Amino acid sequence: MTTDALPTTSLGRALVHAPGTPDAAWWRDAVIYQVYPRSFADASGDGIGDLAGITARLDHLADLGVDAVWLSPFYRSPQADAGYDVADYRQVDPLFGTLDDFDAMLDRAHRLGLRVIVDLVPNHTSDEHVWFAEALAAGPGSAARERYLFRAGRGVDGAEPPNNWQSIFGGPAWTRLPDGEWYLHLFDSRQPDLNWEHPEVRAEFEDVLRFWLDRGVDGFRVDVAHGMVKAPGLPDWAGHVSMIEGVDDVSPTDPVDRADEVTGSGNQGPMFDQDGVHEIYRAWNRVLRQYDGDRAMVAEAWVEPLSRLARYVRSDEAQQAFNFAFLAAGWDPAALRDVVTSSYGVNDAVGAPTTWVLSNHDVVRHASRFGLSTPTARPNGIGRADEQPDEALGLRRARAATLLMLALPGSAYLYQGEELGLPDHTTLDDTYRQDPAFFRTGGAERGRDGCRVPLPWSAGEPAFGFSPSGVTWLPQPAAYAAYAVDAQRGVPGSTLETYRAALAARRSEGLGTGGLEWLEELDGGDVVAFRNRDVLVVANLGSAPVELPADAAVLLASVDVERDATGGLVLPADATVWLRAGA
Ligand code: GLC
């Protein structure tokens, strides 16, 4: 037991983040739901989700109580990286529908009171973009090649790549053309990196922003937001960057420190987090300000430490940045406490909201990660031959982690299906895999398909209601039936109803614009405990039950809260509770 059951009123508090004003701009406290269009809902029956499918299911999101929706890319694309390879930034891919379908979806969302942000992919285009086709046709030394990063090779006959950079998806970051030149691609070879020193590239993306702003979008999620500007001369760097957490497996002999001196960046190497990238955000911020209604940008920047990340959300840059340090902390009390404290420290210093996220389309879902024997593990995909998560434990911890997250002041991101407690497909046959990371690593990384499986809407229908034809682009595990929306709606204590209740209480209690004080007598060891406005939040990440304050009244809990022999309230292991603070 961690307390002598003090009353809630006498708990000591340490202020970390002061409350804001309830009428702040929407993006300061919004809960934003990520729709992954391929896998949300399929209206056409081809087995791939589409915009009409999203429109038809927007009621689910309004009912859930989120404030906004972020759509992963639906633009014209050969789908070499599931749409993060854009061939035309102003067209909808026929897989997903038409621009009219987009307008209808946006209109329906706005009528339901949901804001909509769309994905912007500025670091690279598809190899099927008209600019890349022109560059290939025009040949070495042409003006058309200036829009990308073409270089001569090194060594005899230029047969070696221009530098030693590795692709984030595995293998070299350069591909050689039959005419002898090489081009840079930090991701797949079908995703050539743009040259952001080129004025036409800058002008084009400002125009793309205006195109979608004019159609009425509320903002943008900026893909690989720290990548557009590279260090001059593209110097060698022996590190390897992996998704989300940034640099990994850098050996002590790698020239990281020297690279830092040369580039002025954090510890990310010469392709990431260069100071020059901030000029792009300032320019985009000026574009957004020309529009009404608080349009916003969220930066997907895998930048460490958090103080470097906060530079992306200075008042004249992006409004938000994803807080991947929170996601990476796992189900670990010390790590969570640290990341919460430091996130508010750095973001408050620049006047930006802190954001929170546990799952997205690039990581194993938190319900599966937290069921692994190491609750901070973050494998890039889980396959048949890998350790299988404990599904019940993972779900229990995922629900607890979500209640902790949704009580934190700031803005929170939810990934589609997490409101159902959905696990990854962890036994997907490799023959179905589509993620380029799987192929470029020769299968060493299973990749991201497991978190991208189509959603289950109704337990008894073909494809669990995802598609009228029963076809799905990735197979759904049989276990998804139990997670279907219609199996949970109206069922007290279901994950769906717990999310709905949490979002309603978060709103009515003003938690998103609230403050954070650690509760000194409760917080520590396996317990993370804080106060936000009139709500006390206690998360028990240990294996022993924890006694709650004597006068506690339960608002919401991730599991049933028990009473001990003396009638006191006890929080079991791997659980979070929201309590009403005494008067
Ligand atoms: C971002 C996206 C990811 C994509 C990559 C390359 O990290 O979230 O899905 O593969 O960028 O565009």
Side-chain angles (χ1 to χ4, degrees):
M1 301 286 160
T2 58
T3 69
D4 295 324
L6 287 168
T8 55
T9 41
S10 55
L11 295 170
R13 313 181 206 166
L15 180 70
V16 169
H17 170 74
T21 50
D23 58 350
W26 69 274
W27 43 266
R28 289 194 172 269
D29 66 336
V31 176
I32 303 176
Y33 182 101
Q34 180 187 0
V35 167
Y36 192 67
R38 299 175 75 80
S39 302
F40 188 69
D42 173 24
S44 73
D46 66 355
I48 299 180
D50 45 40
L51 290 170
I54 298 170
T55 307
R57 295 286 190 183
L58 282 173
D59 287 356
H60 168 72
L61 303 184
D63 266 17
L64 183 61
V66 299
D67 302 293
V69 178
W70 147 38
L71 269 70
S72 280
F74 48 80
Y75 315 111
R76 189 180 288 274
S77 160
Q79 307 289 317
D81 183 22
Y84 281 95
D85 50 319
V86 181
D88 185 338
Y89 290 85
R90 297 177 186 79
Q91 277 300 332
V92 171
D93 195 279
L95 271 183
F96 301 115
T98 62
L99 273 175
D100 285 345
D101 292 332
F102 177 81
D103 291 341
M105 186 278 305
L106 187 63
D107 184 60
R108 176 81 188 133
H110 283 164
R111 281 171 199 273
L112 288 168
L114 298 167
R115 311 232 182 201
V116 176
I117 68 177
V118 295
D119 224 299
L120 184 76
V121 187
N123 180 67
H124 44 265
T125 69
S126 159
D127 63 342
E128 292 188 16
H129 191 281
V130 60
W131 278 359
F132 197 69
E134 280 173 27
L136 293 189
S142 61
R145 289 211 172 177
E146 291 295 312
R147 298 190 190 109
Y148 292 90
L149 294 164
F150 284 90
R151 293 288 184 276
R154 297 199 285 207
V156 181
D157 297 331
E160 301 296 321
N163 71 25
N164 64 353
W165 295 2
Q166 296 296 299
S167 153
I168 285 129
F169 289 160
W174 296 90
T175 290
R176 194 175 199 194
L177 295 167
D179 61 34
E181 271 205 328
W182 298 76
Y183 67 89
L184 178 71
H185 52 87
L186 291 182
F187 294 88
D188 190 66
S189 55
R190 302 200 56 192
Q191 295 168 295
D193 278 48
L194 285 163
N195 171 18
W196 273 85
E197 305 305 329
H198 199 304
E200 260 185 71
V201 172
R202 297 200 179 217
E204 168 68 1
F205 275 89
E206 290 188 22
D207 198 64
V208 168
L209 288 179
R210 289 201 180 88
F211 177 87
W212 293 103
L213 290 166
D214 287 340
R215 290 198 105 78
V217 304
D218 298 286
F220 301 90
R221 176 264 189 191
V222 182
D223 189 65
V224 197
H226 56 319
M228 285 93 89
V229 175
K230 279 82 180 173
L234 311 181
D236 272 346
W237 182 70
H240 177 252
V241 175
S242 57
M243 303 202 77
I244 305 293
E245 80 258 55
V247 174
D248 67 3
D249 69 10
V250 176
S251 78
T253 54
D254 288 332
V256 172
D257 294 340
R258 192 169 51 77
D260 287 351
E261 280 164 31
V262 174
T263 66
S265 80
N267 61 352
Q268 309 272 320
M271 67 289 283
F272 282 142
D273 194 27
Q274 302 297 306
D275 288 343
V277 84
H278 295 286
E279 190 40 52
I280 300 171
Y281 291 101
R282 291 190 192 103
W284 290 354
N285 183 294
R286 290 193 289 272
V287 173
L288 263 58
R289 279 171 198 258
Q290 289 161 8
Y291 288 79
D292 58 351
D294 277 333
R295 318 283 175 116
M297 286 180 280
V298 54
E300 187 226 16
W302 329 320
V303 170
E304 291 171 333
L306 283 163
S307 55
R308 288 290 299 187
L309 183 61
R311 293 157 52 94
Y312 290 75
V313 290
R314 289 177 287 192
S315 61
D316 58 350
E317 298 196 31
Q319 283 67 27
Q320 299 185 338
F322 288 114
N323 189 347
F324 293 129
F326 180 71
L327 186 156
W331 192 233
D332 175 307
L336 285 170
R337 205 177 287 119
D338 275 3
V339 74
V340 168
T341 300
S342 28
S343 299
Y344 287 120
V346 297
N347 290 317
D348 287 355
V350 293
T354 293
T355 69
W356 309 104
V357 62
L358 288 164
S359 283
N360 66 30
H361 67 294
D362 290 328
V363 298
V364 173
R365 290 173 175 277
H366 64 292
S368 294
R369 292 199 313 270
F370 294 167
L372 293 170
S373 51
T374 309
T376 50
R378 290 211 317 95
N380 184 1
I382 298 175
R384 277 201 178 143
D386 301 320
E387 178 198 344
Q388 292 296 303
D390 175 332
E391 195 173 320
L393 179 65
L395 178 59
R396 183 183 172 101
R397 287 178 170 167
R399 291 165 51 117
T402 296
L403 282 197
L404 192 158
M405 173 174 88
L406 290 178
L408 291 167
S411 175
Y413 280 81
L414 305 180
Y415 177 49
Q416 66 178 35
E418 69 165 88
E419 78 279 20
L420 309 175
L422 217 58
D424 265 36
H425 193 329
T426 57
T427 55
L428 185 68
D429 196 281
D430 285 348
T431 55
Y432 293 106
R433 295 197 185 277
Q434 301 204 11
D435 184 357
F438 172 73
F439 298 101
R440 292 186 60 91
T441 60
E445 293 189 353
R446 299 284 129 188
R448 300 163 291 172
D449 295 303
C451 67
R452 299 176 174 181
V453 172
L455 291 191
W457 293 93
S458 3
E461 286 181 35
F464 303 131
F466 167 73
S467 165
S469 63
V471 178
T472 58
W473 71 279
L474 286 174
Q476 300 160 301
Y480 272 25
Y483 294 92
V485 173
D486 73 347
Q488 299 195 44
R489 186 179 285 137
V491 178
S494 69
T495 304
L496 177 59
E497 293 303 335
T498 304
Y499 267 72
R500 195 199 309 274
L503 290 170
R506 177 185 156 91
R507 190 183 295 258
S508 62
E509 301 291 329
L511 301 184
T513 56
L516 185 129
E517 298 166 297
W518 294 124
L519 292 172
E520 285 167 336
E521 289 83 0
L522 284 173
D523 186 66
D526 290 333
V527 175
V528 175
F530 60 89
R531 178 172 180 149
N532 178 356
R533 298 201 192 271
D534 293 332
V535 178
L536 308 185
V537 179
V538 187
N540 179 6
L541 287 79
S543 49
V546 169
E547 191 171 347
L548 294 169
D551 58 347
V554 175
L555 264 178
L556 198 64
S558 64
V559 293
D560 285 339
V561 175
E562 297 148 17
R563 291 203 176 267
D564 64 14
T566 62
L569 278 177
V570 169
L571 182 65
D574 293 316
T576 297
V577 64
W578 294 7
L579 303 169
R580 160 80 53 213

